[in-house]
Amino acid sequence: MAEDELDDDLSAPVVPGGGRNKTRRLILIVVLPILLVLGAAAGAYFTGAADPLLAMIFGERAAEPPPEPEDTRIERASMPNPNTFVELPELLVNLDSAGARSQYLKIRVTLELQNSADQQKLNEVMPRIMDNFQVYLRELRIDDLRGSAGIYRLREELLARVNVATRPIGVEVNDVLFREMLIQ
């Protein structure tokens, strides 16, 4: 009889890890898609892609700013636009290079003024501004313009030079903005 029991056990198909495979399949088929859907929903919520859908579901605008008080809207409308921008002509200068090959800097700059009334006064001293820029830029080396720190120093130096040129006429320039900068 012991032999018969051994023969029956040998004839039965053997499934390796029978219980563990069912658990893995359950995880792959059920749990993994649920986690993927939850992750996609969280990503859509945090990036703002789900805002229109949430607005439809809850019946309110998700990105609507609160209404401003009446008096602040009147103040903003009566305030003059403080920013006036003046584009300078394109500058092309050769840089101070130690090598035999010349290197050039092509730059287009915009100046930000405090008010629009200063634009006419600025045009009166434009030759002086362009001369200050030309002299300074010709003394630059290619190493002076490397990286964001070099560009920042260039902006600060140009701003200081333009404010020195406009000081006698009472105009103050807020910022120097680069529209184009090309080094060849």
Side-chain angles (χ1 to χ4, degrees):
M1 200 153 150
E3 265 183 275
D4 288 335
E5 287 177 0
L6 288 174
D7 288 341
D8 288 338
D9 287 340
L10 294 175
S11 65
V14 178
V15 177
R20 288 179 32 192
N21 281 342
K22 288 181 183 178
T23 306
R24 287 184 185 164
R25 284 187 188 148
L26 179 66
I27 289 173
L28 287 175
I29 293 173
V30 176
V31 176
L32 188 61
I34 291 173
L35 288 175
L36 288 173
V37 168
L38 288 175
Y45 175 77
F46 287 118
T47 60
D51 287 347
L53 180 63
L54 292 174
M56 284 191 321
I57 291 172
F58 295 111
E60 56 186 54
R61 295 190 159 211
E64 184 176 315
E68 290 184 15
E70 188 74 28
D71 56 348
T72 58
R73 280 185 265 167
I74 293 170
E75 288 176 14
R76 278 196 195 146
S78 64
M79 289 176 52
N81 184 6
N83 298 333
T84 301
F85 299 98
V86 177
E87 294 182 11
L88 297 183
E90 179 180 291
L91 292 165
L92 180 64
V93 296
N94 57 335
L95 298 173
D96 183 21
S97 60
R101 184 173 166 225
S102 296
Q103 293 183 317
Y104 296 94
L105 171 67
K106 177 181 173 184
I107 189 168
R108 295 175 64 197
V109 176
T110 300
L111 302 177
E112 180 182 355
L113 303 177
Q114 285 187 344
N115 58 37
S116 59
D118 291 340
Q119 187 171 357
Q120 182 62 33
K121 293 179 186 178
L122 184 78
N123 287 334
E124 294 173 6
V125 294
M126 189 62 70
R128 183 175 297 138
I129 294 170
M130 295 302 290
D131 179 62
N132 286 347
F133 282 8
Q134 288 274 351
V135 170
Y136 174 70
L137 292 172
R138 288 179 58 93
E139 292 299 319
L140 287 176
R141 294 181 309 270
I142 195 73
D143 293 335
D144 296 334
L145 299 173
R146 292 207 192 275
S148 61
I151 301 301
Y152 180 77
R153 282 191 302 267
L154 175 63
R155 172 176 284 143
E156 293 299 312
E157 188 64 35
L158 292 178
L159 182 61
R161 289 178 183 273
V162 73
N163 279 325
V164 166
T166 58
R167 187 173 297 136
I169 59 171
V171 174
E172 184 176 348
V173 177
N174 290 338
D175 202 2
V176 173
L177 308 170
F178 297 122
R179 291 182 296 149
E180 179 182 11
M181 184 180 301
L182 177 67
I183 300 171
Q184 289 181 328

